[in-house]
Amino acid sequence: MLEITDLHAEVAGVEILKGINLRVDAGEVHAIMGPNGSGKSTLANVIAGNPSYRVTAGTMEFEGEDLATMAPEERARRGVFLSFQHPVEIPGLRMDHFIRAGYNAVMKSRDEDQLDPLKFDRLIRAKAKVVEMDATLTKRAVNEGFSGGEKKRNEILQMAVLEPKLRILDEIDSGLDVDALRSVSASVNELMGPDKATLLVTHYERLLTYIVPNQIHILMDGRIVASGGKELAREIEAKGYDWLAEQQSA
Amino acid sequence: MAQRDSQESHYLSTFAAFEQNGPSASPDWLKALRKQAIANFERDGFPTARRGNELWKYTDVRSLASHAFTLSKGNGHEAIDFAPYDLPCPRVHQLVFVDGHYAADLSTEPPSQAEHQAETIGHRSEGLIVGRLSEAIQERLPLVEQYLSQQAGAGAFAALNTAFVEDGALVYIPDGVAVHEPIYLLFITTGHASVVTHPRVLIIAGADSKATVIQGYESLTADAEPYFTNAVTEIVTRPGAVLRHYKLQREARNAYHVAATHATVGRDSMFASVSLDLGGGLVRNDISITLAEVGASVKLDGLYLGDGKRHIDNHTFVDHAVPGTSSDEVYKGILTDASHGVFVGRVLVRHDAQHTVAHQVNKNLVLSDDAEVDSQPMLEIFADDVQCTHGAAIGRLDPNAVFYLNSRGLDTREAQELLVHGFVSEILSAIVDDAVRQYTDDAVLTKLG
Ligand SMILES: Nc1ncnc2c1ncn2[C@@H]1O[C@H](COP(=O)(O)OP(=O)(O)OP(=O)(O)O)[C@@H](O)[C@H]1O
Ligand SMILES: [Mg+2]
């Protein structure tokens, strides 16, 4: 579904991604771990098409098509979804209005039925139930005054509404309490399917006990320095990243 | 110098003719008031930054001053399709003026009031009055002499308005009366000729009264001849009154719109003002609020949308004159093309005005390289036990927000539209009357395209 080859990207003239190779097939969950500042969010944003980041070399293919030349909205319409590490607050724009506009833009691009406010209200209520989110939050301005956990759950709600194929979840576990973590993970699993794929960015092994990855990749200084099974996550949890860096330079 | 003389002398000679032919039946106090006003205008002249007038440093009125605008004769008006100006509510007190002259055919009273109409309009001070100023003057209503020009003193434009005061609206809400229908004062300019109008409005909200007044300034044609609207509104709210005042300015692209609004707010009274500037070529609004008694409060909201070469200047002044008053002000601007927005918000907390609460924010979205904003909050605090904040922001749409919307499938144009709507919604939601808000929402969203 996603095939990244020797991807280089820079932000503000500084190279952050220095040759990423990654292949995620339908039905798979891949986790990306790595120290702060190693480029995890950069990778997530580059896949989603954030124009602040510039791809300088390499290729990204989504379902066999070149992603790099697609506008971010085009990627979203084809089924790429990014759950942001830091979702923005947008005062004055109501959450349900916003996500209905997004939903309808996606549906329109696929020549499928758009929903009027009433029908959409029914949909979003149903989805809020699925992700165990308080539906009254959807009547508030996008993320404005939301708690850290509410923001994360709100991202998952949007994912539930848009039903994307490729779900990039950037630190979906940060700021969540134990119960919320369990419930959000359950939603992510429930919304998964054989035609879908998940790219999970996290710092903590615990998330990976709820959402079990097929593969774990360690990103350091813009490169994937190790890939493996869940033993890799356990090792990181125990030893940190330094030993990997040493192994690299050795 | 010579040019300056000729600019003012046009109005001086117009005044001489006006005095001769115009409002012959005026009472002596009014004749004297006009004479004094024209003398003040002659003395001060049009304000220019060049003459060291700080208040006009961002707005150049030379092109306004150089036009020889004439008073409209007022011999009837053409047929007007009123649909675009209709408030979406069945009952409204509506006074309409076309090129400065009262349009009886477009003015209405709500059905329940109809039977009282002959009695109430401009005739009785015990009942509600939503009537013509000229009638009230003819009827020698003491209210008018008592309140007219009590607040709108200084400045050349206010002086000009007073010199030419003839008609306009008088709104009087008796003590304890809640007026449920909106009071709608509409000033339409046809735009066929280079006319000047001097709309004058006097609003007196009695103790514990409640009312909503909408003042609209409209042009029949977007591409009108240059014209000049020089409006003055004076407002007094007595103890406990709640007065909501909404101004919708949609003048033509070539229009000069200068408007001064003064309000004196009484004990425990609440005055709420929302000022929407969607049109005009050169626009200057002065809102001046005196919180005169304990417990007086004001909420000031404003939105200005600049495109083309529009110049929109909002000056607000809140005077916390006594202890225990509050003000809350939010002005927002969206500027595109080569437009220019100005916000100067002065808040004065006088020496003994303890326990003042004053908040002021001005935010501007600048959507093009050629658009410009000057934002100047001025807090002058002389009391020590106060709670005051202010802030100003000038910026573009947040690229992170645009990307957030893009990442949910919205293209950049749709994203910008949603973000702009979000930006203005705070101001629009300050209009609490549903029917009026529906009307103003439409006006603003249409304008935003
Ligand atoms: N807009 C930007 N301008 C300048 N530098 C940036 C920008 N965005 C990211 N960076 C830099 O790129 C590097 C990688 O950042 P990124 O957010 O991808 O890290 P991360 O691996 O997600 O870290 P964390 O675990 O803290 O979320 C950091 O050094 C960061 O400072
Ligand atoms: Mg990150």
PDB file of all heavy atoms in Angstrom, chain A residues 37 39-42 85-86 170-171 201 203, ligand 2:
ATOM      1  N   GLY A  37      13.059  14.257  18.162  1.00  0.00           N
ATOM      2  CA  GLY A  37      13.762  15.008  17.122  1.00  0.00           C
ATOM      3  C   GLY A  37      14.381  14.152  16.042  1.00  0.00           C
ATOM      4  O   GLY A  37      15.103  14.650  15.183  1.00  0.00           O
ATOM      5  N   GLY A  39      12.873  12.618  13.652  1.00  0.00           N
ATOM      6  CA  GLY A  39      12.228  12.805  12.351  1.00  0.00           C
ATOM      7  C   GLY A  39      10.937  12.027  12.163  1.00  0.00           C
ATOM      8  O   GLY A  39      10.404  11.963  11.059  1.00  0.00           O
ATOM      9  N   LYS A  40      10.396  11.472  13.243  1.00  0.00           N
ATOM     10  CA  LYS A  40       9.176  10.651  13.140  1.00  0.00           C
ATOM     11  C   LYS A  40       7.995  11.477  12.622  1.00  0.00           C
ATOM     12  O   LYS A  40       7.298  11.082  11.682  1.00  0.00           O
ATOM     13  CB  LYS A  40       8.837  10.042  14.505  1.00  0.00           C
ATOM     14  CG  LYS A  40       9.965   9.200  15.112  1.00  0.00           C
ATOM     15  CD  LYS A  40       9.584   8.604  16.453  1.00  0.00           C
ATOM     16  CE  LYS A  40       9.260   9.641  17.520  1.00  0.00           C
ATOM     17  NZ  LYS A  40      10.421  10.495  17.895  1.00  0.00           N
ATOM     18  N   SER A  41       7.769  12.643  13.271  1.00  0.00           N
ATOM     19  CA  SER A  41       6.656  13.484  12.837  1.00  0.00           C
ATOM     20  C   SER A  41       6.912  14.053  11.452  1.00  0.00           C
ATOM     21  O   SER A  41       5.982  14.255  10.670  1.00  0.00           O
ATOM     22  CB  SER A  41       6.432  14.633  13.826  1.00  0.00           C
ATOM     23  OG  SER A  41       6.012  14.123  15.068  1.00  0.00           O
ATOM     24  N   THR A  42       8.163  14.296  11.164  1.00  0.00           N
ATOM     25  CA  THR A  42       8.508  14.782   9.822  1.00  0.00           C
ATOM     26  C   THR A  42       8.084  13.750   8.782  1.00  0.00           C
ATOM     27  O   THR A  42       7.436  14.092   7.789  1.00  0.00           O
ATOM     28  CB  THR A  42      10.021  15.049   9.729  1.00  0.00           C
ATOM     29  OG1 THR A  42      10.373  16.022  10.714  1.00  0.00           O
ATOM     30  CG2 THR A  42      10.402  15.558   8.349  1.00  0.00           C
ATOM     31  N   GLN A  85       0.297  14.763  15.979  1.00  0.00           N
ATOM     32  CA  GLN A  85       0.866  14.756  17.333  1.00  0.00           C
ATOM     33  C   GLN A  85       0.331  15.958  18.114  1.00  0.00           C
ATOM     34  O   GLN A  85      -0.018  15.842  19.277  1.00  0.00           O
ATOM     35  CB  GLN A  85       2.405  14.812  17.260  1.00  0.00           C
ATOM     36  CG  GLN A  85       3.067  14.766  18.626  1.00  0.00           C
ATOM     37  CD  GLN A  85       4.599  14.768  18.541  1.00  0.00           C
ATOM     38  OE1 GLN A  85       5.183  14.741  17.464  1.00  0.00           O
ATOM     39  NE2 GLN A  85       5.249  14.802  19.684  1.00  0.00           N
ATOM     40  N   HIS A  86       0.263  17.096  17.430  1.00  0.00           N
ATOM     41  CA  HIS A  86      -0.270  18.310  18.062  1.00  0.00           C
ATOM     42  C   HIS A  86      -1.381  18.894  17.195  1.00  0.00           C
ATOM     43  O   HIS A  86      -1.134  19.771  16.375  1.00  0.00           O
ATOM     44  CB  HIS A  86       0.834  19.362  18.229  1.00  0.00           C
ATOM     45  CG  HIS A  86       2.006  18.890  19.028  1.00  0.00           C
ATOM     46  ND1 HIS A  86       1.919  18.620  20.375  1.00  0.00           N
ATOM     47  CD2 HIS A  86       3.283  18.611  18.663  1.00  0.00           C
ATOM     48  CE1 HIS A  86       3.104  18.207  20.817  1.00  0.00           C
ATOM     49  NE2 HIS A  86       3.945  18.190  19.805  1.00  0.00           N
ATOM     50  N   ASP A 170       0.330   9.635  14.860  1.00  0.00           N
ATOM     51  CA  ASP A 170       1.534  10.199  15.463  1.00  0.00           C
ATOM     52  C   ASP A 170       1.315  10.423  16.960  1.00  0.00           C
ATOM     53  O   ASP A 170       0.618  11.348  17.366  1.00  0.00           O
ATOM     54  CB  ASP A 170       1.892  11.515  14.754  1.00  0.00           C
ATOM     55  CG  ASP A 170       3.287  12.016  15.136  1.00  0.00           C
ATOM     56  OD1 ASP A 170       3.928  11.413  16.016  1.00  0.00           O
ATOM     57  OD2 ASP A 170       3.720  13.028  14.540  1.00  0.00           O
ATOM     58  N   GLU A 171       1.918   9.572  17.749  1.00  0.00           N
ATOM     59  CA  GLU A 171       1.817   9.638  19.214  1.00  0.00           C
ATOM     60  C   GLU A 171       0.377   9.749  19.690  1.00  0.00           C
ATOM     61  O   GLU A 171       0.024  10.623  20.471  1.00  0.00           O
ATOM     62  CB  GLU A 171       2.662  10.794  19.769  1.00  0.00           C
ATOM     63  CG  GLU A 171       4.134  10.584  19.461  1.00  0.00           C
ATOM     64  CD  GLU A 171       5.062  11.393  20.357  1.00  0.00           C
ATOM     65  OE1 GLU A 171       4.599  11.842  21.424  1.00  0.00           O
ATOM     66  OE2 GLU A 171       6.228  11.551  19.985  1.00  0.00           O
ATOM     67  N   VAL A 201       3.282   5.892  15.291  1.00  0.00           N
ATOM     68  CA  VAL A 201       4.464   6.513  15.879  1.00  0.00           C
ATOM     69  C   VAL A 201       4.277   6.549  17.383  1.00  0.00           C
ATOM     70  O   VAL A 201       3.244   7.026  17.873  1.00  0.00           O
ATOM     71  CB  VAL A 201       4.666   7.954  15.357  1.00  0.00           C
ATOM     72  CG1 VAL A 201       5.824   8.624  16.093  1.00  0.00           C
ATOM     73  CG2 VAL A 201       4.892   7.965  13.855  1.00  0.00           C
ATOM     74  N   HIS A 203       6.394   6.402  21.518  1.00  0.00           N
ATOM     75  CA  HIS A 203       7.581   6.298  22.365  1.00  0.00           C
ATOM     76  C   HIS A 203       7.492   5.106  23.305  1.00  0.00           C
ATOM     77  O   HIS A 203       8.458   4.745  23.947  1.00  0.00           O
ATOM     78  CB  HIS A 203       7.730   7.564  23.215  1.00  0.00           C
ATOM     79  CG  HIS A 203       8.242   8.734  22.438  1.00  0.00           C
ATOM     80  ND1 HIS A 203       9.504   8.780  21.927  1.00  0.00           N
ATOM     81  CD2 HIS A 203       7.656   9.904  22.071  1.00  0.00           C
ATOM     82  CE1 HIS A 203       9.688   9.935  21.289  1.00  0.00           C
ATOM     83  NE2 HIS A 203       8.567  10.625  21.366  1.00  0.00           N
TER      84      HIS A 203
HETATM   85 MG    MG C   2       6.922  13.938  16.790  1.00  0.00          MG
END
